[in-house]
Amino acid sequence: MHQIKIIGGVPLKGEIAISGAKNAALPLMTAALLTDEPLILTNMPHLADITSMEALLDQHGVHLSSDLNLKTLTLTARTIHNTTAPYDIVRKMRASILVLGPLVARCGQAQVSLPGGCAIGVRPIDIHLSGLRELGAEIDLLDGYIHAKAPKGLIGATITMPIISVTATENLMMAACLAKGETRLINAAREPEIVDLANCLITMGADIVGAGTDTITIQGKNRLHGGTHRVIPDRIETGTYAMAAAITRGSIHLTNTSLDLIPTASAHLQRAGITLTPTEQGFHVTAPEKDIQGVDVMTEPYPGFATDLQAQMMALMTICRGASLVTETIWENRFMHVPELCRMGANITVHGSSALVRGIDTLRGAPVMATDLRASVCLVLAGLAAEGETLINRVYHLDRGYERVEDKLRGCGARIERIAE
Ligand code: EPU
């Protein structure tokens, strides 16, 4: 087990290149199951979750070949010899559920382990299952597995999703590409990752209109073909490093990204006094000379403030002038970073789904425990700003979603290292 040691107090200065988006890359990889031809993905991030997805697809029979230098992954699902997604892989990564739609659509059956709960919430998958049922699949839950069958193929339908779900929209959009006739997904998620997946599917021959709006219409095809697709930049990594620059009172240039990917987070940062200046390759982030202002934040589906940036924004707000009310509306248990931030001197009180953050002058380094991916990086940000040494335990969470995080931060002057326990 590794720990991350940070000696805080250094303003970040320099340039950070943003990697391809984890949450775009994972569904894109499963889209390879829809065709017997190669799908080539470029700008792929190198992350633990990507390795888990590779292992899952490999055991389904997908041939994978990657070039880490070129950040390219080629996936070829010529034949699928196993339609079961086993518990051992699914329990490590809930995004494994994304094989369900493509497998049923292509093979007429799939057995996927139920993902179970996770640190940030219960996370049901009822919308994935009811949507597939509306497409004609028979679904049973047996021995901890979802057993889905559609021996005669899926049939297009109009599906109104009761709440906005990112991966359910992705699963159903992929399944509908090989269904007979038209499918309409109503109350669909509008995240940039949905648009990226739709663009890739269109390159593969799919007929999809409306991705990025709340209604997506798909005309099913008999088959899809291969293609090449570039993964969009990671908007959560983008927002995270923008907040890292702000919390350390630094100034950094983020490249291979765009301010357009974080419309609401950038507006909040600007209200807090941070200067964001677009450039050809991305944007500059510069912290204010005076105090960072407290701003209220409420997480919402895109284009609202991303839940995956809530913990990082809260770290920034701990040293703001005044107070900030942070409200989490997506996940019921996503304040696990609060007690850890409080160990570093933060003044935060939680009332139900809201946390009142009263700004203090400085955080102080302390040993802390990472509880999930975004909570881990929030502690990294707090450590970068804190006086003295912060030691973060359970950093494996970080490796699921942040590529070379220590290298990227060290390149901007941070005193951060990974040590063996
Ligand atoms: N929900 C249901 N039933 C469902 C599906 C979702 O009740 O069948 C609920 C969830 O419990 C939650 C809400 O709907 O309260 C939204 O969940 P959603 O399904 O949109 O989340 P997800 O698709 O499982 C993706 C990201 C998450 C991100 C959320 C919200 C991927 C692989 N994961 O999860 O990313 O927090 O959307 O934006 O795309 C992360 O990267 O750290 C992460 C957790």
Side-chain angles (χ1 to χ4, degrees), residues 22-23 95 120 123-128 163-167 307-308 330-331 334 373-374:
K22 164 180 88 78
N23 288 349
I120 61 176
R123 301 183 104 179
I125 49 155
D126 52 316
I127 302 168
H128 301 243
I163 42 178
I164 297 173
S165 163
V166 176
T167 48
T307 171
D308 294 344
I330 308 287
W331 301 116
R334 217 177 198 185
L373 169 56
R374 308 303 171 185

Side-chain angles (χ1 to χ4, degrees), residues 19 36 101 108 181 270 309 331 363 366 368:
S19 301
D36 59 3
Q270 281 165 326
L309 282 173
W331 301 116
L363 294 165
V368 287

Side-chain angles (χ1 to χ4, degrees), residues 49-379:
D49 272 11
I50 300 295
T51 311
S52 298
M53 185 59 89
E54 285 176 353
L56 179 60
L57 293 174
D58 176 67
Q59 62 89 51
H60 287 310
V62 180
H63 179 267
L64 299 126
S65 84
S66 62
D67 185 325
L68 290 181
N69 290 328
L70 292 178
K71 300 178 183 296
T72 299
L73 177 67
T74 305
L75 308 100
T76 313
R78 209 167 298 287
T79 49
I80 293 168
H81 56 64
N82 170 21
T83 53
T84 300
Y87 175 67
D88 269 356
I89 301 180
V90 178
R91 79 184 160 85
K92 281 195 214 140
M93 187 185 59
R94 290 187 48 97
S96 307
I97 190 73
L98 286 162
V99 300
L100 179 62
L103 284 175
V104 187
R106 166 112 178 255
C107 309
Q109 60 163 4
Q111 304 74 39
V112 177
S113 170
L114 281 162
C118 77
I120 61 176
V122 176
R123 301 183 104 179
I125 49 155
D126 52 316
I127 302 168
H128 301 243
L129 302 187
S130 59
L132 282 174
R133 279 196 183 104
E134 289 186 67
L135 292 175
E138 281 170 32
I139 296 186
D140 293 306
L141 302 182
L142 214 67
D143 305 327
Y145 277 74
I146 304 156
H147 292 257
K149 270 191 227 140
K152 294 192 183 137
L154 297 172
I155 298 157
T158 295
I159 302 169
T160 304
M161 288 176 277
I163 42 178
I164 297 173
S165 163
V166 176
T167 48
T169 302
E170 292 165 345
N171 237 337
L172 297 175
M173 184 164 72
M174 288 191 279
C177 286
L178 294 182
K180 287 186 196 83
E182 179 177 289
T183 297
R184 289 178 75 216
L185 301 177
I186 294 171
N187 201 24
R190 295 184 283 164
E191 270 66 4
E193 293 77 17
I194 306 276
V195 178
D196 199 39
L197 176 62
N199 287 340
C200 176
L201 293 166
I202 291 167
T203 304
M204 295 165 70
D207 181 346
I208 302 174
V209 175
T213 74
D214 60 7
T215 304
I216 305 178
T217 307
I218 304 124
Q219 308 294 339
K221 300 273 177 171
N222 288 335
R223 66 183 300 272
L224 297 186
H225 52 73
T228 302
H229 179 82
R230 184 177 167 85
V231 179
I232 54 166
D234 196 312
R235 64 194 167 95
I236 306 302
E237 195 194 15
T238 302
T240 300
Y241 286 124
M243 291 168 194
I247 200 173
T248 60
R249 303 312 190 102
S251 169
I252 59 178
H253 184 202
L254 298 177
T255 61
N256 185 31
T257 187
S258 160
L259 264 181
D260 298 341
L261 286 168
I262 49 165
T264 309
S266 61
H268 279 73
L269 287 174
Q270 281 165 326
R271 278 215 299 282
I274 289 111
T275 307
L276 304 172
T277 319
T279 64
E280 257 176 45
Q281 303 100 321
F283 60 98
H284 273 287
V285 189
T286 311
E289 278 172 20
K290 290 195 189 145
D291 291 332
I292 289 168
Q293 297 298 320
V295 287
D296 293 346
V297 175
M298 186 187 294
T299 65
E300 283 173 327
Y302 190 86
F305 192 97
T307 171
D308 294 344
L309 282 173
Q310 177 258 109
Q312 301 88 313
M313 188 69 183
M314 192 186 293
L316 177 60
M317 291 293 99
T318 60
I319 55 155
C320 73
R321 179 164 178 205
S324 156
L325 190 66
V326 178
T327 304
E328 173 60 53
T329 72
I330 308 287
W331 301 116
E332 65 271 24
N333 192 22
R334 217 177 198 185
F335 281 150
M336 286 168 301
H337 42 284
V338 169
E340 303 302 309
L341 288 172
C342 291
R343 303 192 71 248
M344 299 176 73
N347 181 346
I348 309 173
T349 33
V350 174
H351 304 271
S353 60
S354 292
L356 179 61
V357 186
R358 293 187 174 90
I360 56 164
D361 287 342
T362 30
L363 294 165
R364 289 184 309 276
V368 287
M369 187 83 82
T371 46
D372 75 77
L373 169 56
R374 308 303 171 185
S376 322
V377 85
C378 138
L379 298 175

